[in-house]
Amino acid sequence: MVRLNYLELPTRDRAAAKRFYAQAFGWTFTDFGPDYAATLSGDTDIGLDAAPDRIAEPLPVIEVGDLEAALAAVVQAGGTITVPIFAFPGGRRFHFRDVDGHELAASQPD
C-alpha cells in the first residue's frame, strides 16, 4: 500500500529537538551518525536532520512497493527528480518536486 510513512524535519539543534519531542510527546530517538536521529515506531516515523547541507523544509516520505515504477510514474505525471535513487539504512529512496514545487521522497524498504 502506498502511504506516507516518514517525515524528515530539518533542525539546527538535534539535541534540543530530541528533548522537545521527548518531553512533549514521549518520543524516543535513535541516533544515526552525528547529524541524524529518528523514531523507530514502525508507524509514521519522524527523522531529525541537523546536517548543514540539507533542505530547509520538512520532507514527507511516501512508502512504495516498486521504487523504479514510482520514479517513472512521478516523471510521467510531471514531477521533477531532485535526488536520484540512493540506498540508506533500511531501504532505498529518491527525492522529487511535485507540480507545485513541494519536495517529497519515495522510499522502498529492504
Side-chain angles (χ1 to χ4, degrees):
M1 175 169 106
V2 176
R3 67 182 185 93
L4 181 66
N5 75 329
Y6 201 81
L7 180 62
E8 231 171 53
L9 298 174
T11 181
R12 290 179 298 280
D13 185 337
R14 185 182 66 159
K18 286 171 55 176
R19 280 191 304 274
F20 169 79
Y21 287 109
Q23 215 172 4
F25 302 109
W27 294 348
T28 58
F29 289 85
T30 300
D31 291 335
F32 293 94
D35 296 324
Y36 202 87
T39 62
L40 298 175
S41 68
D43 191 18
T44 302
D45 284 307
I46 304 294
L48 301 174
D49 192 347
D53 62 340
R54 300 295 186 231
I55 61 170
E57 59 187 52
L59 180 71
V61 182
I62 301 163
E63 182 179 324
V64 299
D66 183 334
L67 196 60
E68 286 74 14
L71 188 143
V74 164
V75 170
Q76 185 174 6
T80 304
I81 305 304
T82 58
V83 178
I85 293 174
F86 66 95
F88 67 92
R92 299 179 309 132
R93 78 183 196 196
F94 67 89
H95 296 198
F96 64 95
R97 289 202 179 275
D98 68 11
V99 296
D100 286 312
H102 303 292
E103 183 141 15
L104 296 94
S107 173
Q108 181 179 350
D110 287 338

